């Protein structure tokens, strides 16, 4: 890659990081954030000022030792006491305020990202794209990016920024001291005499520039390795969570060996990449340790001739060594922090790509999704066209209408897109055009309902707070849904999505609907796990509910027994090859 391309890439990356960092300091918490940042900067500047005072103390203290001046020795020890106490005080409060800023920044960014991820079905759209053939264009493990990457980003950004500020201020404070103390370096070459003023400063610059360049070339593989390490760790953790969630199914299928193989494969990726990262860090550590140890004796070697000639005393030698160390530390900031910079760069890359994916998803959804609005008492679709992630057209130009009092059964072969049509009714399918008018006060019952872990009352009332319903109403809903055995366990906390059987989960989902009494019900194979008599009873209760409320029910079901409970049928029929869509919908009245 050419130098100009590297510079352009750096500029692009800097703009992305700036856009990632700035919103918090412009948010509703901006004054608190700016005040904390200003306080931390002031404390860092005060710490550097104390280092300057300690550097001056070095000269007076060691001169007193060399001259065996006992009064000055004890005076300087007393001076050191209050300088050290002030430095400790600054260090403690600098740490505390820095941690507080990191905590508040992380809390704000986490809330901001959770809001964006959970708004407008972004979490669903991203996963849909990932598991329908477009995984390479979507972020992996968004949960890990929000939970871990945001924490690392705020921590590294503040620590590295303050470290860089310290380095710059320390360099500005000590370079003048070192310049005045180091004197010139006189030498003859080709018969002419030369003198280099501030020789120690130029040696420190040369030493650190060479070290920074070497460090970059040795350590740059760590950026990519850190990026991959975070991804592999998240993949391994995610698969273990899935094993826990589907523990019963895996046990019934005797799939332990397969899961162990898959977990071993993911953990092998974690270990192999981590081993590569360790080797890269080891290579860098060889150089940085050599660089740091050589810097300890380097100023003494350079200044020794002046000390032994009597040009400077011990105190001045120690002050030169201290000043050189501060200048070298400042100029060597890049060398000392390269591993942290590599980890920060990898984290920032993951977050900026996550940000871009959410923006792209939002633009794609607005460009391709059907217009969805809430009507008052009917379901209407106008020129609704449903596509698939592969680009195929499932249904084209569909115009459907269901009024209050209708009971509609949607039928069709497996895989024909019945559930996709439901997703379009709900307004969550991104590959759709046209317009959908959704009836007000409606509920959707998926084939696999979701229940949050916790008290049963929360699972029953989800997503509404359970305290909006009386215990009597909650128990009655459970009885009506043929779950009387759970009526006395409202406050029992458990993982209901795993504890209950498939049929019990579907009955609990029906109980949720009977509790909330919506006018319109959309049921996608909502009773497929129930036996015939139980299914008949629950459907009769659902039909009675929408009739009382003056609404309608739209169902997807395969069992012929449910056909008699519906007065209208929408059937998806395959079209011949070359037709504008894969299926068409045939409407007919059944009674």
């Amino acid at each position: 890659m050419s130098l100009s391309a590297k510079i352009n890439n750096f500029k692009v990356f800097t703009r992305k990081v700036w856009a990632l960092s700035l919103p918090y300091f412009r948010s509703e918490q901006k004054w608190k954030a700016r005040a904390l940042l200003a306080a931390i900067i002031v404390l860092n500047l005060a710490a550097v000022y104390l280092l300057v005072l300690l550097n001056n103390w070095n000269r007076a203290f060691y001169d007193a030792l060399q001259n065996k001046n006992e009064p000055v020795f004890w005076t300087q020890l007393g001076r050191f006491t209050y300088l050290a106490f002030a430095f400790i005080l600054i260090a403690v409060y600098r740490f505390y305020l820095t941690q507080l800023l990191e905590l508040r920044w992380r809390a704000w960014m986490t809330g901001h990202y959770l809001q964006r991820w959970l708004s407008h079905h972004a979490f669903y759209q991203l996963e849909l794209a990932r598991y329908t053939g477009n995984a390479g264009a979507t972020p992996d493990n968004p949960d890990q990016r929000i939970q871990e990457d945001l924490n690392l980003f705020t921590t590294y950004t503040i620590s590295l920024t303050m470290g860089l500020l310290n380095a710059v201020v320390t360099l500005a404070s000590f370079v003048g001291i070192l310049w005045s103390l180091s004197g010139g370096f006189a030498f003859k070459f080709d018969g002419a005499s030369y003198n280099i003023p501030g020789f120690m400063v130029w040696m420190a610059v040369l030493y650190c520039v060479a070290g920074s360049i070497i460090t970059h070339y040795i350590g740059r593989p760590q950026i990519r390795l850190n990026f991959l390490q975070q991804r592999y760790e998240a993949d391994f953790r995610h698969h273990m969570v899935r094993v826990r969630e589907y523990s019963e199914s895996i046990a019934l299928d005797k799939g332990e060996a397969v899961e162990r193989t898959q977990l071993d494969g993911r953990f092998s990726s974690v270990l192999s990449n981590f081993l590569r990262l360790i080797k890269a860090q080891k290579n860098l550590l060889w150089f940085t340790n050599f660089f740091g140890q050589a810097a300890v004796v380097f100023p003494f070697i350079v200044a020794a001739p002046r000390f032994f000639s009597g040009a400077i005393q011990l105190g001045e030698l120690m002050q030169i060594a201290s000043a050189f160390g501060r200048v070298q530390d400042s100029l060597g900031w890049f060398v000392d922090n390269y591993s942290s910079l590599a980890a920060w760069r990898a984290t920032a890359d993951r977050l900026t790509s996550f940000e871009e994916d959410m923006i792209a998803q939002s633009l794609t959804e607005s460009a391709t999704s059907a217009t969805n609005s809430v009507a008052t008492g009917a379901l209407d679709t106008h020129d609704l066209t449903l596509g698939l992630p592969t680009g195929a057209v499932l249904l084209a130009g569909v115009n459907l209408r269901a009024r209050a009092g209708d009971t509609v059964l949607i039928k069709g072969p497996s895989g024909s897109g019945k559930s996709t049509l439901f997703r379009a009714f709900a307004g969550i399918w991104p590959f759709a055009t046209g317009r959908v008018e959704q009836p007000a006060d409606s509920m959707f019952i998926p084939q696999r309902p979701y229940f949050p872990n916790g008290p049963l009352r929360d699972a029953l009332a989800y997503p509404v707070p359970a305290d909006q319903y009386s215990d009597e109403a909650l128990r009655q809903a459970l009885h009506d849904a043929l779950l009387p055995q759970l009526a006395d366990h409202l406050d029992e906390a458990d993982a209901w999505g795993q504890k209950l059987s498939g049929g019990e989960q579907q009955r609990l989902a029906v109980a949720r609907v009977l509790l909330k009494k919506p006018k319109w019900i959309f049921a996608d194979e909502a009773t497929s796990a129930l036996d015939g008599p139980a299914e008949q009873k629950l459907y009769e209760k659902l039909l009675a509910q929408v009739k009382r409320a003056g609404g309608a029910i739209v169902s997807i079901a395969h069992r012929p027994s449910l056909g008699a409970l519906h007065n209208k049928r929408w059937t998806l029929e395959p079209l011949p090859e070359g037709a504008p869509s894969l299926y068409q919908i045939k409407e007919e009245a059944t009674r």
Side-chain angles (χ1 to χ4, degrees):
M1 185 182 293
S2 65
L3 178 62
S4 61
K6 290 181 178 179
I7 293 174
N8 288 333
N9 286 343
F10 177 76
K11 288 180 178 178
V12 171
F13 174 74
T14 302
R15 284 196 296 268
K16 289 179 180 179
V17 172
W18 188 250
L20 198 65
S21 306
L22 200 59
Y24 172 59
F25 296 94
R26 290 180 174 175
S27 69
E28 68 284 354
Q29 300 181 23
K30 59 184 177 183
W31 296 117
K32 290 182 179 179
R34 294 174 185 178
L36 272 175
L37 182 60
I40 294 169
I41 291 174
V42 169
L43 289 174
N44 275 277
L45 296 178
V48 174
Y49 176 68
L50 281 175
L51 290 177
V52 173
L53 296 179
L54 286 169
N55 178 264
N56 294 330
W57 174 87
N58 269 327
R59 179 173 184 171
F61 180 76
Y62 284 104
D63 279 348
L65 283 177
Q66 183 180 22
N67 298 328
K68 298 182 180 180
N69 190 332
E70 186 175 352
V72 174
F73 171 80
W74 290 110
T75 300
Q76 291 303 318
L77 275 184
R79 183 172 176 233
F80 175 80
T81 301
Y82 69 76
L83 287 175
F85 178 78
F87 191 85
I88 292 170
L89 189 66
I90 289 172
V92 170
Y93 277 96
R94 180 176 60 180
F95 166 80
Y96 173 72
L97 294 181
T98 299
Q99 295 297 308
L100 193 59
L101 179 59
E102 290 175 8
L103 178 67
R104 291 182 175 178
W105 192 7
R106 181 193 177 187
W108 185 89
M109 289 191 74
T110 299
H112 176 68
Y113 272 82
L114 285 176
Q115 175 64 27
R116 296 184 60 190
W117 185 51
L118 294 174
S119 295
H120 307 294
H121 311 112
F123 65 98
Y124 169 73
Q125 311 289 2
L126 291 172
E127 288 302 302
L128 182 66
R130 179 168 178 77
Y131 292 109
T132 51
N134 295 315
T138 58
D140 60 277
N141 305 295
D143 52 318
Q144 185 259 356
R145 301 200 183 197
I146 294 173
Q147 181 269 325
E148 184 177 345
D149 286 349
L150 287 179
N151 181 31
L152 293 175
F153 177 77
T154 53
T155 299
Y156 279 128
T157 300
I158 293 175
S159 63
L160 290 172
T161 301
M162 291 301 104
L164 180 60
L165 173 67
N166 266 355
V168 172
V169 175
T170 301
L171 178 63
S173 302
F174 281 91
V175 71
I177 297 173
L178 184 61
W179 184 281
S180 62
L181 292 173
S182 62
F185 177 71
F187 65 96
K188 293 183 178 181
F189 178 74
D190 197 24
S193 297
Y194 298 93
N195 184 63
I196 303 176
F199 177 67
M200 294 288 288
V201 174
W202 296 115
M203 291 301 296
V205 170
L206 180 64
Y207 184 79
C208 293
V209 168
S212 297
I213 293 173
I214 296 171
T215 296
H216 175 63
Y217 281 100
I218 295 175
R220 61 180 175 178
Q222 292 184 40
I223 297 174
R224 177 63 178 166
L225 292 173
N226 273 291
F227 184 97
L228 292 175
Q229 189 64 28
Q230 293 173 18
R231 177 176 182 175
Y232 293 147
E233 295 278 8
D235 286 342
F236 178 58
R237 183 173 60 246
H238 177 68
H239 195 82
M240 286 193 293
V241 171
R242 285 183 58 81
V243 170
R244 189 182 68 189
E245 289 179 347
Y246 293 92
S247 57
E248 182 178 350
S249 299
I250 293 170
L252 290 172
D253 288 334
K254 295 181 174 57
E256 294 88 347
V258 175
E259 296 305 319
R260 176 60 189 267
T261 300
Q262 294 190 4
L263 285 170
D264 284 345
R266 282 170 169 77
F267 191 57
S268 294
S269 298
V270 171
L271 292 181
S272 59
N273 188 79
F274 191 59
L275 182 59
R276 290 192 292 270
L277 181 59
I278 290 174
K279 290 179 179 178
Q281 291 173 336
K282 182 194 71 173
N283 294 335
L284 182 61
L285 204 59
W286 275 108
F287 177 74
T288 55
N289 274 278
F290 172 80
F291 181 85
Q293 293 301 316
V296 174
V297 298
F298 186 79
F300 291 102
I301 294 173
V302 176
R306 297 180 63 206
F307 173 72
F308 289 117
S309 68
I312 58 175
Q313 290 188 307
L314 177 63
E316 193 170 354
L317 175 65
M318 298 305 295
Q319 189 180 15
I320 289 173
S322 175
F324 181 89
R326 299 299 178 188
V327 172
Q328 183 269 327
D329 286 344
S330 302
L331 292 172
W333 176 86
F334 181 78
V335 176
D336 297 334
N337 290 276
Y338 195 89
S339 292
S340 296
L341 283 166
W344 173 79
R345 172 65 187 266
T347 300
D349 282 340
R350 286 175 61 82
L351 284 176
T352 53
S353 64
F354 185 39
E355 177 82 9
E356 291 168 355
D357 288 330
M358 287 200 292
I359 292 174
Q361 179 274 324
S362 178
L363 294 174
T364 301
E365 182 184 20
S366 62
T368 62
S369 295
T371 303
N372 192 278
S373 60
V374 177
T376 54
L379 169 68
D380 282 291
T381 68
H382 304 275
D383 294 323
L384 178 64
T385 296
L386 299 183
L388 297 175
T390 59
V393 178
L394 186 66
L395 292 166
V398 175
N399 295 286
L400 300 171
R401 182 172 178 81
R403 298 175 177 273
D406 284 343
T407 53
V408 182
L409 179 65
I410 301 179
K411 294 186 69 66
S414 296
S416 58
K418 301 183 293 298
S419 295
T420 301
L421 184 60
F422 257 40
R423 296 178 187 120
F425 290 162
I428 66 171
W429 187 249
F431 310 103
T433 58
R435 190 168 87 252
V436 176
E437 293 180 5
Q438 185 188 123
D441 191 14
S442 60
M443 283 186 66
F444 287 77
I445 315 177
Q447 186 176 5
R448 295 181 58 199
Y450 167 74
F451 303 104
N453 294 344
L456 177 61
R457 64 173 70 246
D458 292 343
L460 177 55
Y462 181 85
V464 178
D467 57 13
Q468 294 191 15
Y469 302 98
S470 66
D471 287 1
E472 182 182 353
L474 294 169
R475 292 191 184 98
Q476 186 60 50
L478 291 171
H479 279 282
D480 290 342
L482 309 181
L483 289 171
Q485 71 276 15
L486 297 179
D488 295 327
H489 298 274
L490 291 176
D491 293 313
E492 182 180 329
D494 214 323
W496 300 104
Q498 298 179 36
K499 182 175 182 178
L500 300 179
S501 67
E504 288 174 325
Q505 290 184 47
Q506 289 191 339
R507 278 180 278 169
L508 186 56
V510 171
R512 185 184 286 169
V513 174
L514 297 176
L515 173 69
K516 299 179 181 181
K517 298 179 172 56
K519 289 184 177 180
W520 281 71
I521 298 173
F522 294 81
D524 182 3
E525 297 280 359
T527 56
S528 60
L530 301 179
D531 59 87
E535 182 179 52
Q536 185 81 11
K537 288 180 182 178
L538 289 183
Y539 248 94
E540 288 174 354
K541 291 181 181 293
L542 292 175
L543 290 169
Q545 162 59 36
V546 296
K547 184 177 181 180
R548 285 193 304 270
I553 186 169
V554 180
S555 307
I556 295 176
H558 289 288
R559 288 179 180 168
S561 58
L562 292 183
L565 300 177
H566 297 78
N567 60 20
K568 186 182 291 187
R569 183 177 296 160
W570 295 343
T571 305
L572 279 77
E573 298 179 339
L575 290 175
E577 187 176 350
S581 61
L582 299 176
Y583 293 88
Q584 66 177 359
I585 293 182
K586 178 182 178 182
E587 297 185 67
E588 58 182 330
T590 58
R591 55 182 172 85

